[in-house]
């Protein structure tokens, strides 16, 4: 009798141990347990810690409540300004309602991934290339709004969406490189022209100041000579005053004018003047050789 009681106690303890092992569940701190009893959702979502279910009747599914980092595969699309690009992104989301994540959607991870891909394609078609390259913060907010609206019904909230990389065709890269080079060249030319303008204004002011004080030009010339002589080189500098050049120029012009006047006087003196007696003698001889017709006798008076 005692042996039967011992055997029954041992069997009961074994059954209890098996039941305890089958019914015992441990939910981690970052998880929540959704219990389905005979296919129906239990009223309470099990929190972290040790919990029990009815084996064969209850079925518990653990849902991770941590923020999930999901990369979005690169999507190829055409922007609003007709440029073909490939854009990839990353999505940060988390489950806020474990029951909805299990009941309302079959696989919330796959659903969020597909929604992220379609939203990324849609945002590519609505944006221009310059926005994708420089105004990503606005596009990230647009993607987040597009994904967060349907995800709320799945018990999921989108924490953040980031566009990670934008791949451009090689022809577009070369065109952008040429455009950037032309822009830099234009800026360099403008800066150089502005520098030349400022330098010319300063030089004009310096010339005006030196014209009032002629000695300033000599001092500037001596400073230039000192600056050149400070370097250890074999350059020979011979200062030549500008005033001396101007004096030589004026002297040359005066000498040319004097030479021209002397040549004109010499030419006038060398030309011979015809005497008046020779002119009158020639006129008399010419009158004697050509008698006038009225002095000739008429034909009847001839013998």
């Amino acid at each position: 009798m005692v042996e039967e009681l011992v055997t029954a106690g041992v069997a009961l303890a074994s059954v209890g141990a098996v039941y305890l092992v089958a019914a015992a569940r441990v939910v981690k701190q970052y998880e929540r347990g959704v219990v389905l009893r005979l296919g129906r959702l239990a009223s309470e979502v099990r929190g972290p810690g040790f919990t029990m279910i009815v084996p064969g009747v209850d079925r518990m599914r653990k849902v991770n409540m941590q923020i999930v980092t999901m990369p979005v595969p690169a999507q190829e699309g055409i922007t609003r300004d007709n440029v073909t690009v490939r854009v990839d992104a990353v999505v940060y989301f988390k489950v806020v309602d474990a029951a909805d994540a299990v009941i309302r959607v079959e696989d919330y991870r796959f659903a969020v991934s597909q929604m992220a891909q379609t939203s990324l394609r849609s945002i590519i078609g609505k944006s221009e290339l310059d926005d994708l390259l420089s105004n990503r913060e606005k596009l990230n907010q647009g993607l987040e709004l597009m994904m967060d609206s349907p995800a709320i019904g799945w018990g999921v909230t989108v924490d953040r969406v980031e566009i990670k990389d934008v791949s451009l065709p090689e022809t577009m890269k070369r065109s952008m490189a040429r455009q950037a080079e032309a822009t830099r060249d234009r800026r360099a030319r403008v800066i150089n022209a502005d520098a030349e303008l400022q330098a010319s204004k300063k030089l004009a002011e310096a010339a005006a100041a030196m014209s009032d004080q002629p000695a300033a030009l000599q001092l500037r010339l001596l400073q230039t000579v000192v600056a050149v002589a400070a370097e250890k080189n074999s350059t020979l500098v011979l200062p030549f005053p500008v005033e001396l050049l101007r004096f030589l120029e004026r002297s040359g012009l005066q000498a040319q004018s004097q030479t021209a006047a002397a040549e004109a006087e010499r030419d006038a003196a060398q030309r011979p003047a015809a005497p008046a007696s020779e002119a009158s003698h020639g006129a008399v001889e010419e009158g004697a050789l050509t008698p006038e017709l009225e002095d000739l006798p008429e034909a009847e008076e001839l013998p």
Side-chain angles (χ1 to χ4, degrees):
M1 184 67 182
V2 176
E3 293 180 356
E4 293 179 355
L5 291 176
V6 171
T7 303
V10 171
L12 185 60
S14 299
V15 171
V18 171
Y19 177 82
L20 182 62
V21 171
R25 294 289 186 274
V26 176
V27 180
K28 298 179 181 179
Q29 182 65 38
Y30 54 85
E31 293 178 339
R32 296 294 182 270
V34 179
V35 178
L36 298 176
R37 180 166 296 170
L38 296 178
R40 297 185 63 181
L41 178 66
S43 59
E44 183 182 357
V45 176
R46 307 296 174 88
F50 181 80
T51 185
M52 297 286 292
I53 62 173
V54 179
V57 177
D58 293 344
R59 190 170 237 191
M60 189 174 71
R61 183 175 174 180
K62 299 177 182 180
V63 179
N64 193 337
M65 305 296 289
Q66 291 177 317
I67 295 177
V68 180
T69 303
M70 177 179 293
V72 181
Q75 302 296 312
E76 185 172 354
I78 300 176
T79 61
R80 194 166 61 181
D81 50 354
N82 298 324
V83 179
T84 303
V85 295
R86 288 176 60 87
V87 182
D88 57 352
V90 59
V91 181
Y92 302 91
F93 69 95
K94 64 180 179 179
V95 177
V96 293
D97 193 336
D100 289 342
V102 173
I103 301 300
R104 293 181 179 274
V105 63
E106 181 180 2
D107 187 352
Y108 67 90
R109 289 176 178 266
F110 181 74
V112 171
S113 176
Q114 295 299 313
M115 182 178 58
Q117 295 180 30
T118 55
S119 300
L120 185 58
R121 284 179 175 271
S122 178
I123 207 71
I124 290 173
K126 294 178 181 179
S127 306
E128 295 183 356
L129 180 61
D130 293 339
D131 295 334
L132 290 175
L133 296 177
S134 61
N135 196 13
R136 294 188 180 182
E137 187 65 28
K138 182 178 179 180
L139 298 180
N140 294 337
Q141 294 177 0
L143 277 172
E144 182 179 349
L145 291 175
M146 292 176 66
M147 295 179 59
D148 198 25
S149 298
I152 292 177
W154 305 336
V156 178
T157 179
V158 178
D159 188 67
R160 190 172 181 82
V161 183
E162 292 285 346
I163 294 177
K164 188 164 58 175
D165 188 20
V166 178
S167 299
L168 300 175
E170 292 297 328
T171 55
M172 181 58 63
K173 291 181 180 179
R174 290 193 293 268
S175 299
M176 294 177 67
R178 289 195 298 270
Q179 180 183 2
E181 184 178 359
T183 302
R184 289 193 296 269
D185 188 27
R186 179 177 61 84
R187 291 178 180 175
R189 290 176 182 272
V190 171
I191 293 173
N192 190 16
D194 191 12
E196 292 291 338
L197 178 60
Q198 294 180 4
S200 63
K201 290 181 179 179
K202 295 298 181 181
L203 290 175
E205 294 177 0
M210 289 182 179
S211 63
D212 296 336
Q213 297 293 334
L217 184 61
Q218 298 295 332
L219 293 176
R220 181 58 184 166
L221 179 61
L222 293 176
Q223 290 178 359
T224 304
V225 173
V226 171
V228 173
E231 298 292 337
K232 295 181 179 180
N233 51 28
S234 59
T235 304
L236 180 61
V237 179
L238 296 177
F240 201 78
V242 180
E243 286 79 4
L244 183 57
L245 292 176
R246 293 177 180 174
F247 173 74
L248 294 176
E249 183 180 1
R250 289 195 298 268
S251 299
L253 293 176
Q254 291 178 0
Q256 289 180 2
S257 61
Q258 292 177 359
T259 303
E263 290 180 353
E265 292 178 357
R266 186 179 58 188
D267 293 340
Q270 290 178 355
R271 285 199 300 266
S277 59
E278 294 180 359
S280 59
H281 179 70
V284 171
E285 291 181 351
E286 184 178 2
L289 293 175
T290 56
E292 295 181 358
L293 296 178
E294 59 183 8
D295 296 336
L296 294 177
E298 295 181 2
E300 297 179 353
E301 297 179 356
L302 291 177

